[in-house]
Amino acid sequence: MSHIVSYHVHGAIAEAVVDNPPVNATSASVRQGLAEAIRKAEADPEVRALVIRCAGKTFIAGADIKEFGKPMAEPQLPALLAMMDRATKPIVAALHGTVLGGGFEVALAAHYRVALPETRFGFPEVKLGIVPGAGGTQRTPRLAGLETTIKLTTEGGQIDVAKALASGLIDAIAEDGDLGLAALAYAEKLVVEGQGPRSAGTLPMPADDPALFEEARKALSRKMRGQSAPLKILDAIRLGYEMDFDAALLQEFALCRESIAGPQSKALRHMFAAEREVARIPGLPADTPTRLIERVGVIGLGAMGRGIVMAIVSAGLPVIAVGLDQEHVDAAMKAIGKMWSSSVAKGSMTQEAMDKRLALITTSDDMHDLAATQLVVEAVTEDMAVKKAVFATLGQVTQPDTILASNTSFLNIDMLAEASGRPEDVCGMHFFNPAHVMRLLENVRAAKTDRDVVATIMALGKRIGKLPVLSGVCDGFIVNRMLSKRSREAFFLVEEGASPAAVDRVLLSYGFPMGPFALGDLAGLDVQAAARKARAATATERELRADFVEQMVAEGRLGQKSGSGWYSYDENRKSGPNPQTDAMIAAHAERHGLKLREIGEEEILQRLLYAMVNEGAKLLSEGIAARADEIDVAMVNGLGWPSHSGGPMFWADQIGLDKVLAAIERFRAEQGDAYWTPAPLLVQYAGEGRGFTA
Ligand code: CAA
């Protein structure tokens, strides 16, 4: 036997143990080892049942993603599971950790399933743009019914043992903690009771329910707009009603292979790998020491500060929340209590969890109380003079090695670092609004930030459930700097004749959750106007001329919160067209003698997105982003760039950088060097025929 799958016989029970770290993926050697174990158990007259178990932290967590797109060695997973279906001796799967994808399919092809209490189950294939390929869509409905199957396979979430047991997906829970012994005992009992093998494939499909499929199709088209896998998975489940089990398995596998070969899966797999890659910082070994963080301070309790407090205590870390004065502190605590209470009312949080979180927050209006922390996140008003003063005080009142992090979204952290008097302890931790919800955390390494500070904030980000991406210091870091180029193009497009609604529609149908103008209304036009003002000194005349937000703010139109912005809003914040916007754009054109023209969807899309790709290339050559992975992960998780196109840099690679460059050159000729000079790295890579991510 291979050392990846070991085989032992304990009396009448054989045991195959998979040991393929890190997650026991069904690599070729695992499939071969399991096939051999089944053959041996079948051939040995002394053996009456077989247990399949895994060493390490989890049962098989799926197919080996790194093997996708490469020729697959035999036996392929469906062939292995067909062997299990045909086995004449009962096979028991002993489950722990995360039983996912192909691993769940192995478990369901076993005849009986025993799981440890903490085990979780799911079909994450949809998140990789894939249709389950080894019976997931066929065995699950036969065991658990349609509703559970549709939810599990199309949404990609996980269920716990209680739900798995109740829905018939497992047979028993091994309560006493020793899974190996429990599974052997379970198998022995089967033998004693004379229970034979049983294949889920021999069970009938549950009663058909076309309305359920229709409902799911509608909901998925809305929730996972633009993604093909969820709908293909529904088609795969339907195969169970159209043909017999074996034929349906063949068709399901064909759909699976087709989805793996498609562009969306390629992009989603890029995202999976990139999300893990960004945790490895070039030049910062994994064993770089980190500082111990036991208590965090948050100073500034506006919307961002509150969200940061909530995010940190949610991970069980105590926080000292410091506000300007008692009134601000009280208002912040009231707002936090209100948000959590509404989660409790909705049932997404227990009262006990809320009480625990509240108990972790200490409040103060005195910065001296931050002396008891190892990290302070500053989230005061976005004003350099105010922040500098705060950092000067923080440098004095905190311990000599307390990390001082700014949540600024565009100010120069090197200047804050100098103001603190100990720049090696200063960095950025840029959360996205709402900070307790959004996964992205841009950690910023300033010129003098210590290596252990970088290692500490990357680890801390993960500890509080965020997806940390490291950025260097520049105006707007990765996401806001790239976004500012999109906003500029969006304003220019409106000045040239595209309606805001048309611009938004193009991005919406590309897969963004909303377009730039709906986003402006949501964030607040006053906020956007303040950001434009802060950058006015470096703006071009044309950028200053496109002063739509200033015009609206002057009229008290602040976006959603005032009921009127680019769009108008009813009392439920439902948007509709705004005639004032049309009038403003027409008057603006007349005032400045602008000639409006029809602008096609392709031009809108290319100008908005290529402007970001070009800026991304600059971020790479400046070293602000170490790799294209940082940019793709940040843009997907911070701005809502659709993950199934893989983020801006991967997407540009798929188009071909020569084509992207040609379009940028065309825009340069039409719009001028100031906005469309191609990044030298883009020119270089296009010339070399390579991509940003390859
Ligand atoms: N294939 C290959 N490598 C995998 C993997 C997989 N399916 N799942 C995880 N890994 C690797 C990760 O890349 C990572 O490697 P590095 O340390 O080199 O970065 C390592 O395992 C640990 O992973 P995480 O950092 O994600 O660890 P975690 O403990 O936070 O999470 C996990 C573990 C829940 C299993 C998570 O990794 C996960 O969700 N993995 C994906 C599972 C999945 O999508 N399975 C379905 C695959 S498709 C399929 O199965 C269909 C089919 O049969 C055709």
Side-chain angles (χ1 to χ4, degrees):
M1 294 289 309
S2 74
H3 65 282
I4 301 242
V5 181
S6 57
Y7 180 83
H8 322 268
V9 178
H10 311 272
I13 314 297
E15 189 187 34
V17 182
V18 179
D19 189 1
N20 184 29
V23 298
N24 289 314
T26 56
S27 320
S29 49
V30 169
R31 300 193 302 271
Q32 285 153 6
L34 283 176
E36 204 178 327
I38 295 167
R39 274 194 293 270
K40 271 190 163 180
E42 287 283 282
D44 185 344
E46 302 298 316
V47 168
R48 308 278 302 278
L50 171 68
V51 169
I52 297 177
R53 182 166 70 80
C54 289
K57 65 176 185 177
T58 181
F59 189 75
I60 299 166
D64 187 342
I65 296 170
K66 297 180 198 88
E67 280 187 353
F68 288 173
K70 299 184 186 147
M72 290 279 264
E74 297 296 334
Q76 303 215 15
L77 197 55
L80 172 68
L81 303 200
M83 279 180 78
M84 293 170 71
D85 269 334
R86 287 194 305 268
T88 59
K89 298 172 183 176
I91 300 178
V92 178
L95 309 170
H96 74 295
T98 40
V99 181
L100 302 177
F104 201 4
E105 291 175 315
V106 171
L108 296 180
H111 309 143
Y112 301 88
R113 288 160 289 279
V114 182
L116 281 183
E118 299 302 318
T119 314
R120 311 219 17 115
F121 307 84
F123 287 111
E125 283 90 334
V126 67
K127 295 184 179 166
L128 297 169
I130 294 170
V131 175
T137 66
Q138 300 304 310
R139 291 190 178 87
T140 319
R142 287 172 162 88
L143 289 163
L146 265 187
E147 206 168 335
T148 303
T149 305
I150 290 177
K151 195 167 167 52
L152 271 175
T153 54
T154 60
E155 294 177 12
Q158 296 181 2
I159 55 170
D160 60 14
V161 281
K163 175 90 178 115
L165 187 67
S167 47
L169 291 167
I170 61 171
D171 301 288
I173 300 173
E175 297 285 2
D176 74 356
D178 190 327
L179 182 62
L181 285 181
L184 287 179
Y186 192 89
E188 269 158 16
K189 190 160 162 272
L190 291 175
V191 170
V192 169
E193 290 173 357
Q195 307 266 13
R198 38 165 223 196
S199 154
T202 60
L203 299 170
M205 280 292 279
D208 194 3
D209 186 349
L212 200 61
F213 280 97
E214 197 39 44
E215 210 177 285
R217 199 169 288 277
K218 272 198 199 135
L220 292 166
S221 307
R222 199 179 56 244
K223 272 199 298 200
M224 300 173 86
R225 199 159 29 84
Q227 301 208 30
S228 54
L231 302 181
K232 281 203 188 130
I233 291 172
L234 289 181
D235 293 342
I237 300 171
R238 285 223 61 86
L239 294 170
Y241 295 103
E242 292 158 8
M243 55 196 79
D244 68 29
F245 181 66
D246 289 332
L249 287 183
L250 277 177
Q251 286 293 320
E252 181 204 47
F253 191 43
L255 283 177
C256 169
R257 277 179 309 186
E258 190 184 300
S259 58
I260 289 178
Q264 293 197 355
S265 174
K266 201 172 164 206
L268 287 162
R269 273 149 38 211
H270 160 69
M271 288 312 301
F272 180 87
E275 281 192 9
R276 280 150 187 84
E277 197 54 38
V278 296
R280 289 184 267 267
I281 311 294
L284 199 75
D287 59 0
T288 305
T290 53
R291 299 188 191 178
L292 185 67
I293 307 292
E294 290 177 318
R295 187 178 295 272
V296 178
V298 175
I299 175 159
L301 300 179
M304 285 310 292
R306 292 168 200 168
I308 295 168
V309 170
M310 290 166 78
I312 296 172
V313 296
S314 301
L317 255 177
V319 166
I320 301 178
V322 177
L324 198 56
D325 52 34
Q326 196 54 45
E327 204 179 313
H328 280 85
V329 170
D330 292 343
M333 287 311 293
K334 202 170 148 201
I336 290 174
K338 200 170 148 201
M339 277 189 269
W340 279 337
S341 296
S342 101
S343 302
V344 171
K346 276 189 269 168
S348 57
M349 193 197 288
T350 62
Q351 183 64 48
E352 192 193 353
M354 172 172 165
D355 294 342
K356 250 193 201 156
R357 290 179 191 193
L358 281 173
L360 287 170
I361 307 175
T362 316
T363 58
S364 170
D365 60 0
D366 181 354
M367 279 170 78
H368 285 88
D369 288 334
L370 294 169
T373 63
Q374 296 83 37
L375 163 73
V376 177
V377 183
E378 166 278 313
V380 304
T381 181
E382 200 73 345
D383 178 306
M384 183 52 97
V386 176
K387 282 195 196 280
K388 267 183 161 177
V390 167
F391 270 79
T393 310
L394 287 176
Q396 299 288 323
V397 300
T398 57
Q399 302 300 316
D401 59 351
T402 295
I403 297 174
L404 306 177
S406 176
N407 177 57
T408 180
S409 34
F410 58 89
L411 295 175
N412 186 330
I413 296 180
D414 287 325
M415 291 169 78
L416 302 179
E418 290 311 322
S420 76
R422 44 190 180 88
E424 60 284 358
D425 297 322
V426 175
C427 59
M429 287 181 83
H430 179 219
F431 291 78
F432 286 73
N433 195 10
H436 60 298
V437 176
M438 295 287 284
R439 249 181 109 210
L440 182 67
L441 170 64
E442 269 179 337
N443 279 333
V444 186
R445 167 159 49 188
K448 294 186 181 160
T449 310
D450 260 352
R451 292 156 62 81
D452 63 345
V453 169
V454 176
T456 305
I457 57 172
M458 292 304 288
L460 182 79
K462 197 164 180 204
R463 185 170 158 198
I464 63 172
K466 299 290 174 203
L467 183 50
V469 167
L470 191 64
S471 168
V473 173
C474 68
D475 185 350
F477 314 118
I478 297 173
V479 173
N480 283 331
R481 179 161 150 190
M482 287 178 68
L483 178 62
S484 70
K485 299 299 176 269
R486 186 184 84 173
S487 306
R488 181 171 76 189
E489 275 315 299
F491 292 141
F492 288 178
L493 282 163
V494 168
E495 272 202 330
E496 290 170 44
S499 75
V503 172
D504 279 354
R505 241 189 339 264
V506 167
L507 283 199
L508 210 64
S509 60
Y510 176 80
F512 280 90
M514 62 180 79
F517 298 107
L519 181 65
D521 276 357
L522 175 70
L525 298 177
D526 49 338
V527 176
Q528 217 174 6
R532 276 175 57 87
K533 191 171 167 199
R535 294 195 174 99
T538 54
T540 64
E541 250 176 55
R542 188 172 165 202
E543 287 173 83
L544 293 173
R545 186 186 67 194
D547 61 353
F548 300 112
V549 286
E550 287 87 344
Q551 293 183 46
M552 287 188 277
V553 170
E555 289 173 15
R557 291 165 58 197
L558 308 181
Q560 283 198 16
K561 59 188 166 193
S562 73
S564 175
W566 292 100
Y567 300 92
S568 66
Y569 297 88
D570 68 14
E571 59 282 6
N572 299 317
R573 294 205 172 189
K574 193 171 162 10
S575 67
N578 193 339
Q580 284 178 291
T581 298
D582 300 339
M584 170 183 73
I585 294 168
H588 182 87
E590 198 171 322
R591 192 160 54 247
H592 296 291
L594 304 173
K595 224 170 126 228
L596 303 183
R597 65 183 171 99
E598 280 276 324
I599 306 181
E601 289 186 1
E602 191 184 0
E603 180 180 342
I604 293 176
L605 188 73
Q606 290 187 346
R607 280 178 57 185
L608 294 176
L609 301 193
Y610 287 176
M612 288 198 270
V613 170
N614 199 35
E615 199 62 21
K618 291 179 190 167
L619 287 169
L620 282 176
S621 47
E622 291 166 22
I624 301 295
R627 294 155 300 192
D629 285 348
E630 267 80 7
I631 298 177
D632 287 342
V633 170
M635 296 304 280
V636 166
N637 293 282
L639 183 63
W641 186 294
S643 56
H644 57 276
S645 80
M649 309 320 270
F650 179 87
W651 175 72
D653 285 353
Q654 305 313 300
I655 292 168
L657 297 189
D658 53 342
K659 292 202 184 77
V660 174
L661 178 60
I664 288 180
E665 288 291 9
R666 208 173 58 242
F667 296 140
R668 179 191 206 172
E670 291 162 9
Q671 306 278 334
D673 287 355
Y675 313 110
W676 285 103
T677 298
L681 195 70
L682 171 64
V683 177
Q684 182 195 327
Y685 283 4
E688 291 168 2
R690 57 162 290 182
F692 294 117
T693 55

